[in-house]
Amino acid sequence: MDKVLKIKSTLENYFFVLPAVLIFSIFYVIPFVWVFRLGLYEWDGIMPTMSFVGMSNFKEIILQDRIWWDSMLNAGYITLIALTLQNAVAFLLAWACDREIRLKNFYRVIFFIPPVLSEVVVGLVWQWILDGNYGLLNNWLTHLGLANFTRNWLADPNTALTTVAIVHSWKGFGWGFLIFLAGLQTIPRELYEAARVDGANAWQSFTRVTLPLMVPVAVLVGILTILGTMQAFVLIIAMTGGGPAYHTQVPVLRILASMRASSRFGYACAQGIVFGFILMAISFIQYRFSKKFKHA
């Protein structure tokens, strides 16, 4: 009798998770398998003829496609800027707004405006600001007597990628600001009172109370920043289209270029699979990293 009840309980548990498993399979597992299958063919995406090439597309990506790996490096560079500059600004602003300052609710709204704006609109506005001929930034630099620093920021290979990374960080820092602010508000105020009673000054309270308790939040923000930035492409399309000469090309743009410009649909699918495995590897490393901090 107990065995029957145990089997019934087990089946009920599986029944509860069955909808989630079905949804995950339909929207993730089946598309992944289908895209992998298409990656084994040379196909233009339109004609019914498909040539089976096995793993050739994957070998070409990994061993021969230098532009693909350059796009990975570009995405890594943008991610590095986002992890450092974007999250540092987000944390400092969240820390300032968590304190008793005037108009802090106004600042909270202002700082969260950039993330909710359209990436296309933001990209076009910044393209206008950074234009080498009539851009506002060059005009301001000229009026300040810094004409030697003026340039076509998005057309110069030396500045295009860094400029895109900074604009991406400006666009996205509001998400980190919001998460950091929520994390700061969970720190019990009694800890600061106890630190003050023990003679700690503001800097010591910050380094010995705030920073240690914010480490798990920082890890979470870091994970979201890496995964979100590695897949960013709309803002880059609006600002540079991947130019000049592939200097702001990122993996998603390479996949779109293979699919549309080169009409290599199978190759684009293989690029998507390779990119997916790279993101999975990054996620696994982040998971292990976050577990280490959690149990530290």
Side-chain angles (χ1 to χ4, degrees):
M1 187 63 182
D2 291 342
K3 189 175 181 180
V4 173
L5 290 175
K6 186 176 180 181
I7 293 174
K8 183 180 177 182
S9 175
T10 303
L11 290 176
E12 286 178 350
N13 293 336
Y14 280 116
F15 181 77
F16 280 118
V17 300
L18 184 60
V21 172
L22 286 176
I23 292 173
F24 183 78
S25 300
I26 292 171
F27 291 101
Y28 290 94
V29 178
I30 295 175
F32 181 85
V33 174
W34 189 256
V35 170
F36 178 78
R37 174 184 170 276
L38 292 178
L40 302 176
Y41 290 86
E42 193 66 46
W43 183 38
D44 62 5
I46 299 176
M47 301 302 290
T49 306
M50 301 170 63
S51 302
F52 182 77
V53 295
M55 300 297 290
S56 295
N57 285 334
F58 294 95
K59 289 179 182 176
E60 182 179 342
I61 294 166
I62 295 172
L63 301 177
Q64 301 174 12
D65 197 340
R66 185 180 59 82
I67 298 177
W68 165 261
W69 291 109
D70 286 345
S71 72
M72 288 296 304
L73 290 176
N74 291 341
Y77 180 78
I78 297 172
T79 302
L80 180 64
I81 297 292
L83 274 174
T84 52
L85 176 65
Q86 172 182 314
N87 289 340
V89 171
F91 178 74
L92 290 175
L93 292 176
W95 178 74
C97 285
D98 187 52
R99 304 173 71 81
E100 293 301 325
I101 60 173
R102 293 180 61 188
L103 301 176
K104 65 179 182 181
N105 290 331
F106 172 76
Y107 293 131
R108 291 176 181 179
V109 174
I110 291 295
F111 295 151
F112 194 62
I113 287 178
V116 299
L117 295 176
S118 163
E119 291 192 67
V120 175
V121 173
V122 169
L124 293 176
V125 170
W126 275 102
Q127 187 186 51
W128 172 63
I129 293 173
L130 298 166
D131 188 89
N133 297 318
Y134 51 82
L136 285 180
L137 181 58
N138 281 347
N139 283 333
W140 290 339
L141 290 174
T142 303
H143 286 305
L144 291 173
L146 301 172
N148 291 335
F149 291 97
T150 59
R151 65 191 64 209
N152 196 338
W153 299 91
L154 296 175
D156 187 340
N158 295 318
T159 58
L161 185 60
T162 301
T163 304
V164 168
I166 292 173
V167 173
H168 172 81
S169 297
W170 173 85
K171 173 77 172 64
F173 86 93
W175 292 112
F177 165 80
L178 199 65
I179 298 173
F180 278 128
L181 184 61
L184 287 168
Q185 291 180 342
T186 63
I187 299 176
R189 299 299 166 187
E190 291 80 6
L191 293 178
Y192 293 109
E193 294 294 333
R196 191 176 300 115
V197 171
D198 289 341
N201 56 31
W203 174 250
Q204 289 170 330
S205 295
F206 178 74
T207 56
R208 298 179 185 181
V209 177
T210 305
L211 286 183
L213 293 177
M214 288 299 291
V215 168
V217 180
V219 172
L220 172 64
V221 173
I223 292 172
L224 296 176
T225 302
I226 291 174
L227 294 181
T229 305
M230 289 294 289
Q231 300 175 68
F233 71 100
V234 176
L235 182 67
I236 299 171
I237 287 179
M239 292 182 69
T240 65
Y246 304 116
H247 278 85
T248 58
Q249 193 83 272
V250 291
V252 179
L253 287 183
R254 288 302 307 156
I255 294 172
L256 291 174
S258 298
M259 190 181 299
R260 298 181 59 188
S262 304
S263 296
R264 298 186 66 188
F265 199 87
Y267 190 72
C269 290
Q271 286 177 318
I273 293 295
V274 171
F275 187 47
F277 274 113
I278 291 173
L279 291 182
M280 288 169 61
I282 293 173
S283 301
F284 179 75
I285 294 171
Q286 290 174 328
Y287 172 72
R288 300 287 297 183
F289 190 67
S290 61
K291 280 188 68 176
K292 184 178 179 181
F293 267 101
K294 187 176 180 180
H295 296 294

